Amino acid sequence: MSDTERQREAVVQALENVTARLEEEKTHLTELDSAIGDADHGTNMTRGFSGANEKVKDMDEAEPAELVKTIGVTLVSEVGGASGPLYGGSIMSASQEFADEGITAETSVAFAEAYLEKVQDRGGAEVGAKTMVDALTPAVHTYKKSIETDDLAPLEALAKAVDAAERGVEFTTPIRAKKGRASYLGWRSVGHQDPGATSTLFIVEELLATAQTYLNGEVEATAEAEEAPEEMPDEVSEGEGE
């Protein structure tokens, strides 16, 4: 099997794994979203990734970049609302990082950085706003540092990224939402875990599970994260309320 064929197979398998995980967690994500949002995050994510899964299934000759772009295009059309362009449009744009060399340690870092940048550009959220960015930012920064500075293998780097994303999800619970529908609740959003950050963690966990198969190894996702979310905003740490 050529490198391109193996990469193509890995992308398809990763998408299948993510789709199955989101389906499994749909009720949980919906419950989280019902507390601070529209109660549709689980349904929307499952519909979008299921649609993408069907689209790429028969793309036997596609390059990895084309597969990833197709996933993004499908998410834009299937997820709907603001989330479609946020998730799908960002994936579409970042897929260009795989165009020349396929999926390597270096291009995967470039993809992760480009995806984070586009998510922030489109959504306007920074760390501490109680969004998916709180999980995505530490995961991407940790993955990049692990590859480029610590010279770790991609599998180890992904394990650290999972741990960082998990810490980011935990970080969203005690802070006040500043973006999205949850921000309308003001201080009532405190004490609730962000559903977007949670689904981001699930996705990164499934990327790790896929990598363990295709990179021939297993590693515990308990490594100390090198990048954690920024310090908790003063307004929360001081315990102020409305």
Side-chain angles (χ1 to χ4, degrees):
M1 182 183 294
S2 69
D3 285 346
T4 298
E5 289 172 331
R6 189 167 178 78
Q7 289 175 19
R8 183 188 304 125
E9 187 178 282
V11 171
V12 172
Q13 186 61 59
L15 180 57
E16 289 180 0
N17 290 346
V18 169
T19 302
R21 179 68 181 280
L22 291 175
E23 178 64 42
E24 178 185 333
E25 303 283 1
K26 180 168 67 173
T27 299
H28 176 52
L29 291 172
T30 297
E31 289 173 350
L32 291 176
D33 198 33
S34 66
I36 57 175
D38 294 325
D40 59 0
H41 186 66
T43 301
N44 288 347
M45 292 294 284
T46 301
R47 182 176 64 248
F49 278 89
S50 295
N53 199 34
E54 289 300 315
K55 284 280 187 181
V56 306
K57 200 175 287 185
D58 299 320
M59 296 176 65
D60 297 331
E61 303 301 321
E63 295 289 324
E66 184 181 354
L67 285 175
V68 175
K69 182 178 180 180
T70 299
I71 293 170
V73 170
T74 308
L75 290 178
V76 170
S77 61
E78 294 290 336
V79 173
S83 295
L86 184 64
Y87 285 86
S90 300
I91 290 175
M92 284 171 57
S93 178
S95 68
Q96 298 173 21
E97 302 298 335
F98 296 138
D100 295 329
E101 300 178 27
I103 302 174
T104 67
E106 292 74 20
T107 61
S108 65
V109 170
F111 172 86
E113 287 190 296
Y115 178 65
L116 173 60
E117 180 181 351
K118 289 300 179 182
V119 165
Q120 290 185 293
D121 285 347
R122 292 171 185 273
E126 299 291 338
V127 170
K130 201 184 185 86
T131 70
M132 65 182 288
V133 170
D134 290 311
L136 187 59
T137 298
V140 171
H141 288 183
T142 297
Y143 185 66
K144 176 182 173 67
K145 180 180 183 295
S146 297
I147 295 286
E148 296 184 352
T149 302
D150 300 336
D151 200 27
L152 296 181
L155 202 55
E156 282 189 89
L158 264 175
K160 284 181 172 286
V162 166
D163 188 59
E166 186 174 351
R167 293 164 183 263
V169 171
E170 294 171 354
F171 172 72
T172 66
T173 300
I175 63 176
R176 177 170 62 93
K178 298 177 183 178
K179 283 288 180 181
R181 188 171 183 81
S183 65
Y184 302 160
L185 296 176
W187 285 99
R188 293 193 302 278
S189 64
V190 171
H192 297 285
Q193 183 173 305
D194 182 68
T198 305
S199 62
T200 296
L201 171 62
F202 294 156
I203 290 170
V204 179
E205 286 179 335
E206 293 310 316
L207 293 180
L208 173 61
T210 306
Q212 287 176 334
T213 298
Y214 285 89
L215 296 179
N216 300 316
E218 292 187 8
V219 61
E220 292 294 329
T222 55
E224 186 76 12
E226 300 292 346
E227 292 282 346
E230 294 173 3
E231 63 181 10
M232 189 177 295
D234 291 340
E235 58 194 10
V236 175
S237 61
E238 292 171 3
E240 296 178 3
E242 285 186 324

